[in-house]
Amino acid sequence: MFPVTRMRRMRTDERIRAMFRQTSVGIDDLIYPLYIKEDAEDGKPEEISTMPGQYRYSVDDAIEFAGLLEDSGLTSVLLFGIPEHKDAVGSSAYDENGIIQQTIKGLKEQTNLVVMGDVCMCEYTDHGHCGIIEDQYVQNDETLKYLSKIAVSYADAGVDVIAPSDMMDGRVMAIRDALDDNDYVNTPIFSYAAKYASTYYAPFRDAADSAPSFGDRKSYQMDPANFDEALREVKSDIDEGADAIIVKPALAYLDVLREVKQQFKMPTIAYQVSGEYSMITAGIEKGYITEDLLDETLLSIKRAGADMIISYFVPQLLGIE
Ligand code: PBG
Ligand code: ZN
């Protein structure tokens, strides 16, 4: 009790503050999302208008840029594809010569990065939904077949990790079965288990040209008002064989992140999504806030319980642009 106890005593000296700092974020805590676009020109990455400082790369440019980040200490990347051809079943997603398959092969040959493939259909379907549509409704069980096909084709290309982001029920089990049937028993699944129907994805949909052409994603992604449901989602994904859990978005869902980590003790990843990146970037650009916000935000996510963070800020943190 005061005056014997003075909390400020331990804050007086930076060296002592440093000794007891509980949380830190290092480059090895981060995963960088890379957008690969089929018709992007080599040497001319396309800047994403809603995400200043982020680009759509050709396959070769993506591999080169990833290599540069690896040289500065990055350990893993998460791949998103923007194909030229889109159709009702997203067939470009499981094309053995698809952009993601090519990128996976290149990255495995030229880098030592952990290569994670985001598995979903919305970037590949002409209607922009994350599954197969019938009667204006995304069909759950039919979609599972396609997700499994995509996962196996990524594994055939040599991917290290499958990360399904579609929010269909039973997809972790379906993908696990398909991988095992094809002898990929050691390919882990990092599941976007608690993924909310969030407006924070708006810049991504522009970047990936994946906005739904009708309706929204509320019949598969979670209602931002719900907490208990997130825990049930996580529990069911663990039961189906998920090896790590992704919570998304990050900053507005730290309560969910914390509870998921506390309850399940799983390897847990938070996705600091496109809207979070763009808001902070705009604030800094405008001069309303300073770049220090970046560290503080990442620290908060880590402190809440994230083992790893997927973040678009990786190049900036490494001083690479
Ligand atoms: C695809 C997917 C999305 C994101 C990751 N995977 C978009 C969505 O669900 O609409 C969002 C990533 C971001 O906003 O940075 N299902
Ligand atoms: Zn999707």
Side-chain angles (χ1 to χ4, degrees):
M1 204 192 293
F2 180 82
V4 181
T5 302
R6 286 180 179 270
M7 297 303 288
R8 293 183 57 194
R9 199 176 285 135
M10 292 290 273
R11 296 181 199 140
T12 311
D13 184 328
E14 165 54 22
R15 295 166 312 154
I16 294 176
R17 289 198 298 268
M19 285 172 74
F20 299 101
R21 192 161 284 142
Q22 270 191 294
T23 313
S24 66
V25 178
I27 186 64
D28 52 348
D29 296 317
L30 301 176
I31 299 165
Y32 185 61
L34 266 176
Y35 297 121
I36 301 98
K37 189 173 176 218
E38 194 155 10
D39 55 7
E41 239 179 281
D42 282 335
K44 283 197 184 146
E46 299 173 6
E47 188 166 26
I48 299 160
S49 62
T50 51
M51 301 174 74
Q54 301 300 313
Y55 297 83
R56 303 183 194 91
Y57 296 93
S58 68
V59 172
D60 287 350
D61 286 350
I63 295 166
E64 190 186 322
F65 190 59
L68 212 63
L69 298 173
E70 183 186 26
D71 291 342
S72 295
L74 184 72
T75 57
S76 55
V77 289
L78 173 63
L79 307 182
F80 292 96
I82 307 147
E84 234 167 330
H85 169 79
K86 303 193 184 211
D87 57 31
V89 296
S91 60
S92 301
Y94 50 86
D95 176 347
E96 64 178 290
N97 268 320
I99 25 171
I100 293 302
Q101 288 78 355
Q102 288 179 38
T103 308
I104 293 167
K105 284 179 203 151
L107 284 170
K108 293 303 292 177
E109 274 164 25
Q110 297 178 45
T111 75
N112 195 32
L113 289 161
V114 172
V115 179
M116 301 174 42
D118 182 279
V119 168
C120 198
M121 299 182 65
C122 52
E123 300 111 270
Y124 302 89
T125 50
D126 50 12
H127 46 70
H129 274 289
C130 304
I132 301 296
I133 303 275
E134 240 169 83
D135 304 327
Q136 300 281 99
Y137 183 73
V138 176
Q139 301 294 320
N140 193 85
D141 300 12
E142 185 63 14
T143 300
L144 299 183
K145 298 176 196 159
Y146 288 87
L147 296 170
S148 303
K149 253 186 165 74
I150 301 169
V152 169
S153 92
Y154 285 5
D156 286 340
V159 84
D160 292 303
V161 173
I162 296 293
S165 69
D166 51 280
M167 288 300 278
M168 298 303 120
D169 289 323
R171 91 262 206 216
V172 173
M173 181 183 280
I175 291 172
R176 184 71 273 155
D177 276 352
L179 290 172
D180 291 357
D181 283 349
N182 288 276
D183 286 333
Y184 297 117
V185 292
N186 283 324
T187 301
I189 299 173
F190 293 4
S191 167
Y192 292 82
K195 176 172 176 179
Y196 285 87
S198 171
T199 305
Y200 283 105
Y201 310 147
F204 171 94
R205 291 179 190 169
D206 180 66
D209 186 24
S210 65
S213 61
F214 65 91
D216 51 41
R217 303 209 202 291
K218 290 179 187 168
S219 81
Y220 40 106
Q221 299 179 352
M222 285 181 44
D223 186 334
N226 295 353
F227 182 84
D228 297 344
E229 190 183 348
L231 304 178
R232 295 182 62 208
E233 280 283 3
V234 171
K235 168 85 168 58
S236 71
D237 281 12
I238 296 170
D239 291 345
E240 290 175 32
D243 300 284
I245 295 301
I246 305 175
V247 175
K248 171 186 180 189
L251 201 60
Y253 297 84
L254 293 187
D255 54 336
V256 176
L257 175 63
R258 175 138 195 103
E259 190 62 26
V260 164
K261 184 62 187 177
Q262 297 268 93
Q263 263 199 39
F264 301 104
K265 313 287 183 203
M266 289 287 288
T268 303
I269 303 166
Y271 196 148
Q272 182 184 49
V273 299
S274 55
E276 299 181 69
Y277 170 83
S278 298
M279 276 168 45
I280 294 173
T281 301
I284 295 169
E285 237 171 51
K286 283 235 173 203
Y288 294 159
I289 41 166
T290 67
E291 225 175 344
D292 293 344
L293 182 61
L294 244 159
D295 270 337
E296 186 176 335
T297 307
L298 291 168
L299 265 181
S300 309
I301 298 169
K302 188 91 188 288
R303 195 191 61 232
D307 299 301
M308 298 284 294
I309 305 170
I310 302 166
S311 174
Y312 297 97
F313 286 115
V314 164
Q316 197 169 325
L317 290 166
L318 295 174
I320 296 171
E321 259 147 292

